[in-house]
């Protein structure tokens, strides 16, 4: 009998354990660094000494990352020991943060400061730049108190400093106390939020509720440019609200007043609200001298039933009588389609001797509520020139 035995060996896809140490450029271990198999959700974190261990297959790509350091990718081959040195991400560590009367690199800061990503300001038309802070800064609550376009929302940092949860931060625009109202978002270079007690060391008691630093744009050395931006947006009423019909409104309100009169014995509500009052459910109105149209149906006014919107409903308090009324679409009396048109033109430039920046803006924002709206004409100019050395 002849027996054939065939043995196969394949390195591809073979699972094994990879271990190593993750350090920085100073050979210091990085605890909590992330080690992830690329394209999957499988990964581990390094321990206190920067050591890690992970099950992988030959050909997998390991992604090593840590906050403030550049991400590094290594493909798994035959080695089972992979030590990684991560280098600092200069784009993050060298970022300049405005702190009171000057600026510092982020690497030198130990205080709690959040910097808004200015791309948020460019995503949509904003009649008030403070709305860009909503959901962008941890511990900052931004609440719109009115539907009027252009109004400044309520800003509370870390729950406020009063028993009622109030207390608005100090807002400084280029070092000068100001407000977000009428401030053009296209003029803003950066927004920083100072959250902790370190702010009081710079600005004193006025900064007890926190500080929001707004820095506007200036000219850049070495180039001159002219730019124009136009944004257009449209808002529509949400079609998910149901209103009480006019017939039910008249019936229920007349019944309610009658019940109140019966229980309390007060008759002033009867005459003031049901028969002679200028209310939407009173029959003391007429079509010539009153803005309200509710009235008893008579031979003199029944011709109105031939016109659009006029209807009748039985009076619950006077059997046999009909109440004539004009059925309005309430939503048409409250909401409108809102369009926003935002134009912005800027000129900037400079050289070693000086810089300049000019920004001109026009915003026309129709409010979603009838009668509301906001128009803003803005202009900003900054310039610097070195007359003599050190001046």
């Amino acid at each position: 009998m002849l027996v054939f035995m065939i043995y196969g060996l394949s390195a591809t896809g073979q699972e094994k354990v990879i271990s190593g140490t993750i350090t920085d450029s100073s050979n210091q271990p990085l605890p909590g660094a992330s080690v992830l198999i690329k394209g999957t959700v499988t990964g581990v974190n390094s321990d206190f000494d920067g050591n890690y261990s992970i099950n992988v297959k030959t050909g997998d790509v390991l992604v090593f990352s840590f906050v403030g350091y550049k991400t590094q990718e290594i493909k798994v081959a035959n080695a089972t020991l992979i030590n990684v040195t991560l280098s600092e991400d200069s784009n993050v560590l060298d970022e300049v943060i405005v702190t009171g009367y000057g600026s510092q690199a982020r690497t030198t800061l130990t205080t709690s400061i959040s910097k808004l990503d200015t791309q948020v300001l460019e995503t949509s038309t904003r009649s008030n730049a403070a709305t860009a802070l909503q959901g962008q800064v941890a511990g900052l609550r931004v609440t719109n108190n009115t539907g009027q376009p252009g109004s400044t929302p309520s800003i509370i940092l870390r729950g406020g400093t009063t028993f009622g949860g109030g207390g608005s931060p100090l807002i400084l625009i280029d070092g000068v106390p100001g407000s977000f109202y009428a401030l053009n978002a296209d003029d803003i270079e950066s927004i920083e939020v100072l959250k902790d007690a370190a702010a009081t060391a710079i600005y004193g008691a006025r900064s007890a509720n926190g500080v929001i630093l707004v820095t506007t744009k200036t000219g850049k050395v070495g180039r001159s440019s002219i730019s124009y931006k136009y944004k257009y947006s449209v808002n529509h009423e949400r079609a998910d609200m149901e209103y009480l019909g006019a017939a039910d409104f008249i019936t229920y309100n007349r019944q309610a007043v009658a019940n109140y009169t019966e229980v309390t014995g007060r008759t002033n509500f009867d005459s003031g609200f049901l028969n002679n009052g200028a209310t939407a459910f009173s029959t003391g109105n007429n079509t010539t001298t009153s803005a309200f149209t509710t009235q008893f149906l008579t031979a003199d006014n029944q011709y109105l039933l031939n016109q659009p919107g006029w209807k009748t409903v039985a009076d619950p308090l006077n059997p046999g009588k009909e109440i004539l009324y004009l059925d309005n679409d309430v939503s048409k009396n409250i909401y409108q389609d809102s369009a926003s048109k935002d134009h912005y033109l800027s000129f900037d430039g400079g050289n070693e001797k000086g810089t300049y920046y000019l920004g001109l803006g026009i915003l026309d924002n129709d409010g979603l509520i009838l009668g509301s709206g906001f128009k803003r004409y803005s202009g900003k100019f900054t310039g610097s020139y070195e007359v003599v050395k050190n001046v």
Side-chain angles (χ1 to χ4, degrees):
M1 183 176 63
L2 184 62
V3 178
F4 293 93
M5 300 184 66
I6 301 177
Y7 295 90
L9 180 62
S10 175
T12 303
Q14 184 179 4
E15 188 171 294
K16 58 183 177 180
V17 177
I18 296 292
S19 60
T21 304
I22 305 174
T23 59
D24 61 11
S25 56
S26 301
N27 202 31
Q28 295 298 315
L30 294 176
S34 174
V35 183
L36 185 69
I37 301 177
K38 189 174 183 179
T40 71
V41 294
T42 303
V44 296
N45 291 327
S46 60
D47 61 17
F48 184 78
D49 296 320
N51 299 319
Y52 74 94
S53 178
I54 186 172
N55 293 324
V56 298
K57 295 179 180 179
T58 302
D60 286 343
V61 176
L62 293 179
V63 180
F64 299 85
S65 61
F66 192 72
V67 177
Y69 291 79
K70 293 182 179 179
T71 300
Q72 190 174 146
E73 296 183 2
I74 297 178
K75 187 174 182 179
V76 177
N78 297 324
T80 57
L81 178 65
I82 300 179
N83 294 324
V84 177
T85 300
L86 298 181
S87 58
E88 290 82 0
D89 189 348
S90 59
N91 291 331
V92 174
L93 298 178
D94 293 340
E95 182 180 9
V96 175
I97 304 297
V98 177
T99 56
Y101 300 108
S103 61
Q104 299 181 37
R106 184 178 290 275
T107 50
T108 65
L109 294 175
T110 58
T111 59
S112 179
I113 297 180
S114 293
K115 184 172 183 178
L116 177 71
D117 185 354
T118 52
Q119 289 184 349
V120 177
L121 296 170
E122 302 173 359
T123 55
S124 62
T125 301
R126 298 182 184 275
S127 56
N128 194 296
T131 58
L133 294 169
Q134 289 178 317
Q136 300 297 320
V137 177
L140 192 69
R141 185 173 75 244
V142 182
T143 306
N144 289 318
N145 300 318
T146 173
Q148 172 64 35
S151 61
T152 302
S154 172
I155 304 175
I156 304 296
L157 182 61
R158 290 184 171 175
T161 57
T162 66
F163 287 107
S168 298
L170 173 65
I171 299 173
L172 297 174
I173 303 174
D174 291 333
V176 179
S179 169
F180 279 106
Y181 182 76
L183 178 63
N184 194 328
D186 290 313
D187 285 333
I188 297 176
E189 180 71 27
S190 66
I191 299 179
E192 285 88 18
V193 181
L194 280 63
K195 302 179 182 181
D196 58 13
T200 61
I202 306 174
Y203 300 106
R206 297 184 64 186
S207 62
N209 300 316
V211 179
I212 298 179
L213 302 175
V214 180
T215 304
T216 59
K217 296 178 180 178
T218 58
K220 300 295 188 296
V221 176
R223 66 179 180 86
S224 296
S225 64
I226 301 175
S227 63
Y228 170 76
K229 292 194 293 186
Y230 174 69
K231 302 175 186 176
Y232 179 81
S233 61
V234 179
N235 293 322
H236 298 283
E237 172 196 359
R238 292 181 59 179
D240 60 354
M241 292 177 287
E242 296 182 1
Y243 299 95
L244 186 68
D248 290 334
F249 176 84
I250 293 172
T251 300
Y252 296 144
N253 276 282
R254 289 179 68 81
Q255 288 178 334
V257 173
N259 293 338
Y260 178 83
T261 301
E262 181 181 352
V263 172
T264 63
R266 299 177 61 181
T267 59
N268 59 316
F269 273 71
D270 187 4
S271 60
F273 283 84
L274 298 179
N275 301 320
N276 301 316
T279 62
F281 51 87
S282 174
T283 57
N285 303 297
N286 58 74
T287 57
T288 57
T289 61
S290 175
F292 300 97
T293 58
T294 310
Q295 55 197 288
F296 282 121
L297 179 66
T298 65
D300 295 331
N301 59 25
Q302 65 180 359
Y303 71 92
L304 292 173
L305 292 174
N306 297 324
Q307 298 184 16
W310 287 88
K311 301 177 182 179
T312 61
V313 63
D315 185 7
L317 307 181
N318 297 282
K321 285 190 175 184
E322 295 285 321
I323 296 179
L324 179 69
Y325 65 94
L326 177 61
D327 194 7
N328 296 309
D329 184 355
V330 178
S331 63
K332 301 299 181 184
N333 298 333
I334 301 177
Y335 299 105
Q336 64 182 357
D337 288 340
S338 170
S340 179
K341 300 171 282 292
D342 188 7
H343 303 264
Y344 189 74
L345 179 65
S346 65
F347 307 83
D348 71 285
N351 53 31
E352 292 76 10
K353 298 289 291 184
T355 61
Y356 66 90
Y357 186 93
L358 173 64
L360 303 172
I362 299 176
L363 172 67
D364 186 0
N365 187 359
D366 299 325
L368 195 60
I369 306 296
L370 282 171
S372 66
F374 181 72
K375 288 186 178 181
R376 181 185 65 210
Y377 300 89
S378 63
K380 174 192 179 297
F381 175 78
T382 58
S384 65
Y385 188 77
E386 184 182 311
V387 180
V388 294
K389 200 68 174 177
N390 300 325
V391 175

